[in-house]
Amino acid sequence: MNQEELFKRLVSHCKEYGYVFQSSEIYDGLSAVYDYGPYGVELKNNIKKYWWDSMVLLHEQVVGLDSAIFMHPTVWKASGHVDAFNDPLIDNKDSKKRYRADVLIEEHLEKIDNKIEKEIVKARKRFGETFDEPLFKETNPRVKKYNDQRQQLHERYQKAMELPDLKELRQIILDYEIVCPISGSRNWTEVRQFNLMFATEVGSTAESAMKVFLRPETAQGIYVNFLNVQKSGRMKIPFGIAQIGKAFRNEIVARQFIFRMREFEQMEMQFFVKPGEELKWFEYWKNIRMNWHQALGFGADMYRFHDHDKLAHYANAATDIEFRFPFGFKEVEGIHSRTDFDLKMHQEYSGRKIQYFDPDDNTSYTPYVIETSIGVDRMFLQIISASLKEEEAPTAEGGVAMRTVLKLPPALAPVKLAVFPLVRKDGLPAIARKIISDLKFDFYCQYDEKDSIGKRYRRHDAIGTPYCVTVDHQTPVDDTVTLRNRDTMVQERVKIAALKEIIADKVSVISLLK
Ligand code: ATP
């Protein structure tokens, strides 16, 4: 299966097993909006708990907040979103498809990177152990040519984005002969700026109505509450405020399933520090966040940092944590050193003093901010795409058959334990129900008595249930059941009384946090 087919398979798996549905599907859907089904909502809640606990429980100096989606419209003027939260868009006149000009150019840069990488892989194979990569990069004529091309394009692109110069962005697309992936043509319109914020009105009459925005990020709710939280909690700098909530962006190009949505959820933490200490804390949070991702066990090679070339007007350092999705390495989380920009702007626009008095050295200052910002939905996609596997499995008859298994980290799996009576008689269902009622306060269990045991295993493999228990005719005799592990498919006979101890630790979020 190629990557595109794999991705299609993932989308249909999510629908078939109640993870993700297209919004308003019976009306043919609403573009880039999705609903989470019974298993989807469990996985989403587990992701949020994993994040929240790692931020708030494990960091004494991080506290939570739940600010409203609607905010005073001046918030978005002060933050710069009204004037500058734009994407440069361009249309292809033949396919009538709309693209982000910056994304088209970045994809072209990526293509050059891939060419360089291919040359390196080829050479490594040829030279074996004696291969000297830095020397090869410096001296190989083809790699040098690609590197020069990349650097030239990159410099032009960076400059055009900084200004921003929309004519130049279009010219770059023409000069580098970037084509529309659908029509294959270079018949492009002009580049235009497009503001991503959704607006609506608050108020009962047309005259008194006030235009408000649906927040495009949760961070501003934290900044405007900085003093409330600091004073009510008597917080001392450095400290952080964490928040999970919905955000809305009228994305131009909304493809790739839940990767880019118009309504999505963010988990953001703003960490307030003394000016001058921000880069130290930037490094600190970079490490913490990368460890959080890698604790899921998908492999360190699935992640990389991507430092920003073009810093936003408010940032003095920024990096993304990228994950290897079926469609390439893409951002899942941004870590930004946002200076004192936001608090200063809110101070200016509100006319209220937003400063921190430092009792240690009797000074007042506007704190600097390190932000960690991750999308719940992108994290969800990361987990599903790394977990969904097709593999050969032995059958009861001694042969092999393909099985579809969602190898979710047990701590994030929606159902932790499925309990099956071997048959629907002989008192076995009652024992199975009793096991569930004893364990349901510890983790999410499900009862299943339909179809053969083999089919029930397959169903729970596809859902991602890490453990299945079968109650058979030996159970009433000696209080034992078979416990089957999703990944190894090994079945062991264990005492019912031991189930909780065997499973609880492995399926608890605490196992990840440790
Ligand atoms: P991108 O470059 O992909 O548009 P961004 O740099 O605009 O993302 P941020 O503003 O840094 O994203 O938002 C922080 C996080 O929120 C992102 O890393 C991502 O996980 C998530 N996110 C942002 N936009 C969307 C979206 N439209 N749909 C789903 N998640 C999103």
Side-chain angles (χ1 to χ4, degrees):
M1 247 193 268
N2 65 28
Q3 294 301 321
E4 201 172 315
E5 285 164 344
L6 258 178
F7 195 59
K8 273 197 190 142
R9 187 84 198 79
L10 181 155
V11 175
S12 69
H13 190 90
C14 280
K15 180 174 171 190
E16 187 180 346
Y17 289 95
Y19 273 90
V20 184
F21 307 127
Q22 170 80 61
S23 157
S24 326
E25 195 187 279
I26 59 167
Y27 293 100
D28 297 331
L30 180 65
S31 165
V33 187
Y34 290 90
D35 299 336
Y36 288 85
Y39 294 121
V41 64
E42 296 290 341
L43 173 56
K44 222 175 156 202
N45 285 341
N46 292 343
I47 293 170
K48 289 192 265 188
K49 180 169 169 51
Y50 176 39
W51 183 86
W52 189 266
D53 287 356
S54 77
M55 283 294 175
V56 181
L57 292 194
L58 296 194
H59 291 95
E60 212 180 295
Q61 74 281 37
V62 176
V63 292
L65 179 76
D66 184 18
S67 71
I69 288 172
F70 290 140
M71 300 178 76
H72 193 283
T74 312
V75 167
W76 304 109
K77 189 77 194 149
S79 68
H81 283 83
V82 171
D83 298 317
F85 194 53
N86 301 316
D87 276 344
L89 68 83
I90 188 165
D91 294 276
N92 183 270
K93 291 184 200 160
D94 297 321
S95 67
K96 308 271 182 287
K97 287 279 173 202
R98 181 159 285 180
Y99 298 91
R100 268 170 61 178
D102 56 332
V103 170
L104 285 177
I105 298 171
E106 276 177 17
E107 282 174 355
H108 193 74
L109 280 165
E110 228 174 272
K111 272 191 195 150
I112 304 178
D113 285 341
N114 289 341
K115 282 183 190 167
I116 297 173
E117 192 52 38
K118 254 194 198 148
E119 294 292 333
I120 294 173
V121 169
K122 253 192 344 208
R124 188 176 294 122
K125 252 197 205 146
R126 188 152 28 103
F127 293 113
E129 296 225 322
T130 58
F131 182 58
D132 181 342
E133 190 176 316
L135 184 71
F136 177 76
K137 275 180 167 164
E138 250 174 58
T139 51
N140 179 279
R142 223 170 313 170
V143 171
K144 267 174 65 180
K145 190 183 85 187
Y146 291 144
N147 263 329
D148 289 346
Q149 256 182 22
R150 187 189 198 289
Q151 201 177 338
Q152 271 174 17
L153 169 58
H154 190 249
E155 274 169 21
R156 270 182 79 180
Y157 165 60
Q158 208 177 351
K159 220 160 140 196
M161 287 298 283
E162 258 161 35
L163 286 168
D165 182 345
L166 303 184
K167 281 210 168 76
E168 170 67 355
L169 279 178
R170 177 169 193 271
Q171 199 53 50
I172 293 173
I173 289 173
L174 296 179
D175 291 351
Y176 283 83
E177 303 184 343
I178 296 175
V179 298
C180 163
I182 308 281
S183 67
S185 92
R186 282 180 258 151
N187 196 4
W188 296 109
T189 61
E190 297 302 309
V191 176
R192 279 170 297 147
Q193 289 287 35
F194 177 77
N195 192 289
L196 301 181
M197 279 199 297
F198 286 102
T200 185
E201 287 182 347
V202 171
S204 50
T205 61
E207 303 79 60
S208 66
M210 175 162 75
K211 181 177 170 186
V212 293
F213 297 101
L214 298 187
R215 66 180 177 198
E217 62 175 29
T218 65
Q220 299 302 326
I222 296 181
Y223 300 138
V224 299
N225 276 299
F226 167 74
L227 284 181
N228 285 337
V229 174
Q230 190 267 317
K231 292 204 162 129
S232 61
R234 294 180 297 134
M235 305 301 293
K236 279 186 76 177
I237 273 182
F239 76 91
I241 304 177
Q243 161 155 259
I244 299 178
K246 288 269 177 148
F248 305 82
R249 296 182 189 179
N250 197 2
E251 298 280 2
I252 301 169
V253 185
R255 288 190 208 116
Q256 291 164 333
F257 194 38
I258 54 172
F259 181 82
R260 193 173 298 287
M261 303 156 90
R262 298 207 161 101
E263 173 181 339
F264 58 102
E265 209 164 354
Q266 287 186 315
M267 307 188 279
E268 296 197 302
M269 196 278 305
Q270 312 294 322
F271 198 71
F272 301 92
V273 305
K274 196 171 179 162
E277 293 188 354
E278 70 276 12
L279 294 181
K280 178 184 89 185
W281 286 108
F282 177 70
E283 287 304 318
Y284 172 86
W285 284 107
K286 259 176 84 170
N287 279 330
I288 294 267
R289 296 305 305 146
M290 187 54 111
N291 288 343
W292 183 88
H293 284 275
Q294 293 189 359
L296 294 179
F298 298 133
D301 60 331
M302 297 298 277
Y303 302 88
R304 69 180 187 197
F305 283 115
H306 173 240
D307 294 334
H308 286 207
D309 298 320
K310 179 196 170 241
L311 290 175
H313 56 284
Y314 50 73
N316 69 359
T319 194
D320 295 334
I321 293 178
E322 294 187 338
F323 179 76
R324 194 200 297 262
F325 285 100
F327 41 84
F329 268 108
K330 297 276 175 223
E331 169 182 346
V332 278
E333 171 155 9
I335 300 160
H336 311 122
S337 172
R338 292 178 72 130
T339 69
D340 56 359
F341 174 82
D342 298 275
L343 292 184
K344 277 237 168 96
M345 292 306 274
H346 287 306
Q347 175 166 283
E348 187 184 320
Y349 276 79
S350 67
R352 309 272 174 94
K353 191 168 157 193
I354 306 179
Q355 286 210 326
Y356 171 75
F357 174 73
D358 198 330
D360 292 339
D361 54 10
N362 278 330
T363 52
S364 285
Y365 55 81
T366 309
Y368 270 44
V369 175
I370 305 301
E371 165 185 74
T372 71
S373 172
I374 172 172
V376 180
D377 314 86
R378 256 183 221 185
M379 192 60 206
F380 187 109
L381 186 60
Q382 171 191 140
I383 291 164
I384 296 273
S385 59
S387 302
L388 186 59
K389 310 274 181 213
E390 300 273 342
E391 60 181 30
E392 282 186 346
T395 60
E397 297 75 35
V400 282
M402 290 308 282
R403 72 161 181 162
T404 301
V405 53
L406 203 52
K407 292 190 169 171
L408 298 170
L412 300 183
V415 182
K416 310 299 189 193
L417 177 71
V419 185
F420 314 146
L422 182 64
V423 289
R424 265 182 272 180
K425 54 183 186 184
D426 306 332
L428 304 188
I431 301 175
R433 295 257 184 223
K434 169 86 170 54
I435 293 173
I436 291 182
S437 70
D438 287 345
L439 292 176
K440 70 182 176 195
F441 294 101
D442 297 292
F443 38 77
Y444 187 10
C445 306
Q446 256 189 8
Y447 177 82
D448 195 352
E449 58 173 27
K450 207 167 154 269
D451 301 322
S452 68
I453 290 289
K455 276 195 179 154
R456 285 181 250 175
Y457 282 153
R458 294 290 170 269
R459 191 152 57 231
H460 278 276
D461 282 347
I463 291 165
T465 307
Y467 295 100
C468 294
V469 148
T470 304
V471 174
D472 56 22
H473 288 100
Q474 201 181 320
T475 309
V477 181
D478 61 5
D479 286 333
T480 64
V481 288
T482 57
L483 176 66
R484 183 231 190 214
N485 180 303
R486 176 197 67 196
D487 299 340
T488 62
M489 289 186 284
V490 169
Q491 299 178 28
E492 51 175 335
R493 203 129 199 124
V494 300
K495 283 273 183 202
I496 293 175
L499 279 175
K500 182 173 162 185
E501 203 186 312
I502 298 173
I503 299 169
D505 194 42
K506 298 197 182 79
V507 300
S508 135
V509 165
I510 296 167
S511 66
L512 290 178
L513 297 174
K514 277 181 181 161

